[in-house]
Amino acid sequence: MELSDANLQTLTEYLKKTLDPDPAIRRPAEKFLESVEGSQNYPLLLLTLLEKSQENVIKVCASVTFKNYIKRNWRIVEDEPNKICESDRIAIKANIVPLMLSSPEQIQKQLSDAISIIGREDFPQKWPDLLTEMVNRFQSGDFHVINGVLRTAHSLFKRYRHEFKSNELWTEIKLVLDAFALPLTNLFKATIELCSTHANDASALKVLFSSLVLIAKLFYSLNFQDLPEFFEDNMETWMTNFHTLLTLDNKLLQTDDEEEAGLLELLKSQICDNAALYAQKYDEEFQPYLPRFVTAIWNLLVTTGQEVKYDLLVSNAIQFLASVCERPHYKHLFEDQNTLTSICEKVIVPNMEFRAADEEAFEDNSEEYIRRDLEGSDIDTRRRAACDLVRGLCKFFEGPVTGIFSGYVNSMLQEYAKNPSVNWKHKDAAIYLVTSLASKAQTQKHGITKANELVNLTEFFVNHILPDLKSPSVNEFPVLKADGIKYIMIFRSQVPKEQLLLSIPLLINHLQAESIVVHTYAAHALERLFTVRGTNNTILITAAEMAPFVEVLLTNLFKALTLPGSSENEYIMKAIMRSFSLLQESIIPYIPSVITQLTQKLLAVSKKQYTFSKVLFVGIFLLISYNCSVIISFPEFIPYVFQVMSLLLEMHKNEIPSSYMALFPHLLQPVLWERTGNIPPLVRLLQAYLERGANTIASAAADKIPGLLGVFQKLIASKANDHQGFYLLNSIIEHMPPESVDQYRKQIFILLFQRLQNSKTTKFIKSFLVFINLYCIKYGALALQEIFDSIQPKMFGMVLEKIIIPEIQKVSGQVEKKICAVGITKILTECPPMMDTEYTKLWYVESSSSVGEVPSMLSTSLNAEALQYLQGYLQAASVTLL
Amino acid sequence: KMSTNENANAAAARLNRFKNKGKDTTEMRRRRIEVNVELRKAKKDDQMLKRRNVSTLPDDATSPLQENRNNQVTAHWSVEEIVKGVNSNNMELQLQATQAARKLLSREKQPPIDNIIQAGLIPKFVSFLGRADCSPIQFESAWALTNIASGTSEQTKAVVDGGAIPAFISLLASPHTHISEQAVWALGNIAGDGSMYRDLVIKFGAIEPLLTLLAVPDLSSLASGYLRNVTWTLSNLCRNKNPAPPIEAIEQILPTLVRLLHHDDREVLADTCWAISYLTDGSNDRIEVVVKTGLVPQLVKLLGCSELPIVTPSLRAIGNIVTGTDEQTQIVIDSGALSVFPSLLSHHKNNIQKEAAWTMSNITAGRQDQIQRVVDHGLVPYLIGILRKGDFKSQKEAVWAVTNYTSGGTIDQVVYLVQAGVVEPLLNLLSAKDSKTVLVILDAISNIFLAAEKINETEKLCLMIEECGGLDKIEALQSHENEQVYKASSTLIEKYFSAEEEEDQNVVPESTAASYTFQIQGNTPNTFNF
C-alpha cells in the first residue's frame, strides 16, 4: 500500500464502516481491514490518520485499530513469518512516542498501550533510544506530555512486580534505573514544588497529582525486585516527600463523590503500599524511616472518614500497621499502653462500626451481605483489615489489647443499654470486637477452632447474646439478632453444650424472622449445630434431645421457605436435610403437618412452568403419594430431594413399591449426573434401590442394568467421584442376583484395569481393593482369580504383587478393613492356584493380634501355623460381617 | 567496588526442579551464583577488594624513613611540582617528589589519582621500584603505586600497563620488610581488580615468592601487620570467578592457607576464611580440592567462634561446601557444623541468619539421613523461627530450606515438620512481595499434601491451612499476575480444596439422553501392566 491520499481516503471509509451498527456493513469492512493489514505501510497509514484525520471519530478509530493491530502482529513467533515488515517497524518506533505525547488523552492511551506491547518485545535491545526519548520529555514542563510518558513507563515497568528474578530481567531493570531513576527523582521533587506553588489552582493540582500517583507507582515497580543502589542513596528524598504527602490535605483535591476514590486517596494508598514494600523487604535500610510512617499512617487513619471512597486507603493503611506490628523489632512502637489504647480506640473500633453501606446491604442485598459476613469474602473490607490488625496486635499484646477492648466492649454495651433503639450499632460493634478478639483460628467446617483464653465466651454469650435472642420480638434489631446467631454458630465448639441446647429453641424461633439474613443465619446455625461432634466423635446433639422441638423445627423450617426472598434459600434447605438425618424416624409423626404447605409450594412452583426434567416431577408426585415430600424450585435443591428420597426408601421395611420403580429409569439420566452436587445423594438413592429392590430390578427392569452400569462407568472415570462409583458397584455386587450381572462382569473389570493402568490414585486403589475383596467374598476366590486371568494371563499374580500386597495396608475404615481381611483370607485358603503354583511364593501372612485388622503381607511363603490361624480368623471375620 | 555474591539466583536451574520431580539431589542444590547484574549497593560485610594505604607515618617510631625531617618539605606539593621533582636528575628531589605524591595519594578525601596518572608519573614510579640503591624511593614509589592501584579498574590498569607487576614481584624479595610488605599490598590491589589481573599476577610468578615470605617455622615470629597483608593478598589471589583462579595455583596456595587457619590472629583468620570461601565458591571438583586438605573441622571450629569477622567468611565457606556432593556435605555434618547452627540461625545479624538458612537449604536438599541430622540437632524450630520473624532475605532462604526438606524428606520427617508448626508461618509468607518465594512455598505445600495423602491426613491438612488463613491466601493467588504462581495455586485449590472434575478419558462412557452407555472405549490397551 502506498502512503498516498487515495489510500488514506479508502482507509478512512472502511474505518467509518467498522463503526456502523449494521453488521451487513460493519463485517465486510472489518474483513477488508484484516485482509490488508499484512501490507507494507498499513500501520503507517493508520498512524497518519490518527494524527491528521479531520474527523475525531476516525482518529480514535484509527488509534484503536492500530493498537489491536500491534497486539496481534508485533510479536515475532519462531518458525512463523514476520507479520510486520522491518521498515514499518522502524518507522513505528521512530514516530510513536512523539505522536503519543502530542495526541489528546483518548488517543494517547491507545498509543501508550501500543508502546508497551512493542516495548515488551523490543525493549531494551531493539529499542535502545526509547528511554532517553521518554526521559527527555520530563524537561518539557508540559504535564500532559509528562503524564503520557509516566503512563507508558508504568505499563512498561509494572511487570517487574511479578516476574521472577533473572539476569535478563535485572539487566533491563538496571538499564532502566541508570537512565530513569535520577530524572524520575528530579521530576518527583519538581512536581512537589509545583504543587505548593499551585496550591490554589484546582485544575493544575489535578494534573500534578495524577503525575504523583504515577510516579509513586513507578517507584513501586522499580523497587520491587531489590532495593536499587540509587534509591537507597536517595531514600531520604523519597521517603521524606512520601511522608509529607501522606500527611497532606488540600480542600481542592477533595472529591464530592462518596464512592470513587479521588487522586489524594489513590496517592496515599500507593504510598502505603510503597512503605509496606520497604518494610517487608528492605527492613534494615528502612528502619530509620519506619516509625515516622507508622505515626503518619495511623494519624491518617484517625482522620479519614467513613465514606466508601476511602475504603481502599483505609484497608491498605491498616494492613500496613498489621504487618508492621507483628515484627518483633517494631514491637516497641506499639507497646506503650497509650499507643495501644489509641490504636484500639481510634483505628480499630471506628473501622469495625456498622456503616450505612453495611446497613443497606443487610436490608437490600442480603445475599451479598451473607457472602461477605459468613463466607469470608471480605478480604478488602475495613472490618476485615481491622480484624487482622487485632490479630496482629494480639501476637505480642494479647493481654493489654484484650484489656483495652474489654473496656470498650463494656462501654459500648452500656451505651446500647441506655437507649437500644438509637444505640444498637454500638452493640453490633461490641459483638464484632469480641468475635475478632476471641477467634484465633477458624474453618468453615468447624467454626472457631482456637480461641483467645482471655475472653470469657460463655459469659458474654449468657449475658449479651442469649437475652437478645430471648426477646419475644424476632423482628426487632435484626442486625443484632443476626450477630447473636452468628456468635452461636462460630463459637459452637467453644460454648458448652447446655448453652447450645438452650439456644436451639431460640434459633428455631428466629426461623420466622422477616429479615432474610436473620432467618438464613438461624437455619445455618441449626444446620451447623447438628453437625458438631462431641468428645467421642459422636454427634453432640442427639435426636432424643431434639425430640421436644421436632414439630416446631420442621414447621418453622418449611415456613421459612415461604418467607419473601427465601423461596430458594439453600441454607434452609440444607437445614431441612440435616434435621431429617439427625431426627430419623422421629419425623414421621410430623409429616402430615408439613405436607399441606409443601403441596401448595409445589403447585406454585409447577405453575411457574419451571423446566425441570421429568424425573423430578415424577419424584415429587411419587413422594406426595407417600405422604412426604420436599420442595423443588431450583437446581440447588435437587440434591436434597434425592437425599430425602433415599432416607424414605431406606425406611421402607419391605420390597420396593412399584411407584418407586417407575422412577428408577429416570434416575439414570445423564443430565442428573452432570451436576457434582447431585452425585452423592443420587448414589445413595440408587444404593437404596439396590438394597430394597435388587430382585425387582433384575426381574422387571433388567434392560436398565446397562444404564445402571453406565452410571458406574461415568463415576469411575472421575478421580473425584470414583469412590462413589465403587459404592454403587459394591451395592450391585452385594445385592443383585449374580446371574443378572454375569454378562457384564468382565467388562466391569476391564474398566477398572484401565483406570489402574492410566490414572490410578491412592483413593482409587483403596476403593479397588475393597471391591475385589468384596467380590471375592461374594463369588469366591477362585472366581476372582479366573476372571482376572481370563482378561489377561497371569493378571491375578500381577495384581497381587503390584497392587494388593504393597497397598492393602492403606485401606482404612472398620468395615472396609474387615472386608479386605476376609477377602484375602479367602484368596489364601480357597484358591487352589494359590497353593500349588508360583503364586505361593508371594504369600506370608504376619500373625496379627487384633482380629479385624488387615494383616500385613510380606513376600515369603506361608507356613502351617499361619494357615491355621487364618482359618480361625476367617471365621471370626465372617461372623462379624454377616 | 566489592564482590557481589548472591544466593538465590539460579532461577532457571531451580525451575527445572519443579518440572522434574524426583531428580537427584544435586540439582536441588543452590549454588552461590555470581550475578552479572546487581541492583543493590555492594554489601558492607564483604572483604575489601582493594585497599588504600592511608596510614600516617610521622608518628610511627619504627619508620625507617626520617619522616619528621622531610615532613614539612613535602607536605603540600602540587602535581606540577611533583612532576618537576620526579623528572629532575636529583635523587633527593626525586625522593621528595615521590613522597609528596604518596602523601597526596594517602590523604583521606579525594586523592588526586587521575591527576597523577595523567601527569604520566606511573612509568617513573615503576622505574623507582627498581632502585635497590635507594630503598626510601623504592618504598615511596611502591606506596604511591599501591594507592593508585587501589582505585578504579581504569586506575589499576594504568599501574599494570606501566609494568608494575614484575617490578613488585621482584620487590617481594627485598631485604627491607616494609618494602616487601608494600609490594605485597600493591600486588593484592592489582589481583583484587578481577580475574584477568589476578591471573596475570599469578602468571608473573607471584605465588612462590609470596609463600616464601611465610616459610618460617613459626608464623608468630612475623609482624602481625605484615602477616595480615600477605594473607589478604593471598586471599585476593583466590578470589573472583569467570574464570576461577587456575587449579594449580590453588593447590599451591592451599597448604599455606591451612596453616594460616590455625594461626591465632583474628584478621589473619578472617582473611584466610575469606580465601577459603572463594575457593569453595565453585564446581564440586573445586570444592573437593579444598575439602581434601582436611581443613573442614578447623573451619567448623572457627564457625563456632563468636568473632563476627571470622564467622561471616567461615559460614560462607561452609555454605559453599554444602552446595557440593552429598559426600562433601557429609564431611561438614561429621565435623559437627550443625551444632553451631542454633546460634547462627538466631544470630542478631540478619546476614548471618540468611547465610545460615541458605546453608540449611542445601543440607535439606541432601539425603534423608542428612535431613534427619538437621532434625536431630533440633534445627527445624529455628528454621520455623526465621519463617516467623526473620528478615525478608532470611525468610526467603528458610522457605527454600523447608521446600527442599519437604521434597526430599520421608513421610515421618514431613510429619515432624508439620507438627513443629511450619504450616502457619510458611503460609503467612504467601503474602511476600516476591513471586519466586511464593512459588517455592506453593511447591512446599504441594509436597506436604503428597505426604498427607499417603497417610490419609489430607483433610486435616486442609483444615490446618484454612485455620491459619492460608486458604484465603492461596485462593487470592489464583489471580496473581505471574503465570506460574497462579497455575500452582489453582492446581492446589483444584486438587485439595474443591470438588473439581478430573476424568479419565479412556473410561468416560458415551451417553444418550436416557442413560450412559456401558461399554469399553476403543483404545483399550492390549496388555495391562501395573
Side-chain angles (χ1 to χ4, degrees), chain A residues 758-771:
Chain A
N758 304 324
S759 51
K760 65 173 178 225
T761 60
T762 308
K763 182 171 74 126
F764 182 87
I765 289 174
K766 279 158 66 176
S767 301
F768 174 76
L769 288 172
V770 174
F771 162 69

Side-chain angles (χ1 to χ4, degrees), chain A residues 161-167 170-171 173-174 177 220 224-229 232-233 273 276-277 280-282 284-285 327-328 379 384 395 440-446 449-450 665 668-670 673-674 676 679 706-707 709-714 716-721 744 747-748 750-751 753-760 762 766 791-792 795 798-799 802-803 810 812, chain B residues 6-9 11-12 15 34-42 44 349-351 388-393 395-396 424 428 431-437 439 453-454 456 459 462-464 466-469 472-473 476 480-485 499-521 523-530:
Chain A
R161 299 171 176 198
H162 62 257
E163 293 215 347
F164 295 138
K165 175 180 183 178
S166 69
N167 269 335
W170 281 36
T171 311
I173 296 176
K174 193 150 177 78
L177 286 167
Y220 192 79
F224 194 89
Q225 293 270 331
D226 205 344
L227 175 58
E229 183 163 5
E232 187 175 345
D233 290 341
D273 282 345
L277 176 76
Q280 185 187 80
K281 297 184 85 166
Y282 318 126
E284 219 167 327
E285 294 80 0
R327 300 189 78 86
I379 304 264
R384 174 63 178 262
K395 279 203 180 148
K440 289 174 131 179
Q442 183 171 14
T443 68
Q444 289 285 335
K445 200 166 169 185
H446 302 291
T449 52
K450 253 182 247 136
L668 308 176
Q669 287 180 12
W673 295 91
E674 297 300 336
T676 4
I679 290 174
L709 289 167
V711 169
F712 149 75
Q713 183 174 345
K714 169 74 181 168
I716 216 77
S718 148
K719 282 189 182 170
N721 298 322
Y744 308 111
Q747 206 170 319
I748 291 171
I750 291 174
L751 287 168
F753 290 151
Q754 282 186 338
R755 267 297 310 271
L756 220 44
Q757 173 108 331
N758 304 324
S759 51
K760 65 173 178 225
T762 308
K766 279 158 66 176
I791 291 168
Q792 186 178 308
M795 173 77 101
M798 178 167 66
V799 174
K802 299 280 173 56
I803 311 281
K810 290 187 184 153
S812 49
Chain B
E6 171 66 40
N7 297 336
N9 191 47
L15 282 181
E34 187 118 17
V35 243
N36 306 323
V37 209
E38 190 61 51
L39 304 176
R40 275 256 182 187
K41 230 181 177 43
K44 298 123 208 160
K349 286 279 287 184
N350 289 337
N351 208 41
R388 217 177 266 290
K389 48 183 203 262
D391 86 316
F392 186 63
K393 292 210 162 199
Q395 286 177 322
K396 251 175 23 181
E424 187 188 352
N428 278 342
S431 55
K433 296 180 204 298
D434 180 76
S435 309
K436 195 52 187 281
T437 303
L439 186 63
E453 275 181 318
K454 294 201 180 111
N456 283 314
E459 202 184 331
C462 286
L463 286 177
M464 283 175 85
E466 191 185 347
E467 272 187 319
C468 70
D472 286 350
K473 292 201 170 77
H480 198 277
E481 296 260 14
N482 186 297
E483 193 178 327
Q484 279 176 279
V485 170
E500 277 299 302
E501 273 294 328
E502 200 188 331
E503 288 191 330
D504 184 333
Q505 291 309 314
N506 295 318
V507 180
V508 183
E510 305 283 327
S511 62
T512 65
S515 67
Y516 291 105
T517 316
F518 178 62
Q519 63 177 23
I520 313 283
Q521 303 297 307
N523 38 0
T524 313
N526 291 331
T527 47
F528 290 102
N529 198 351
F530 309 126

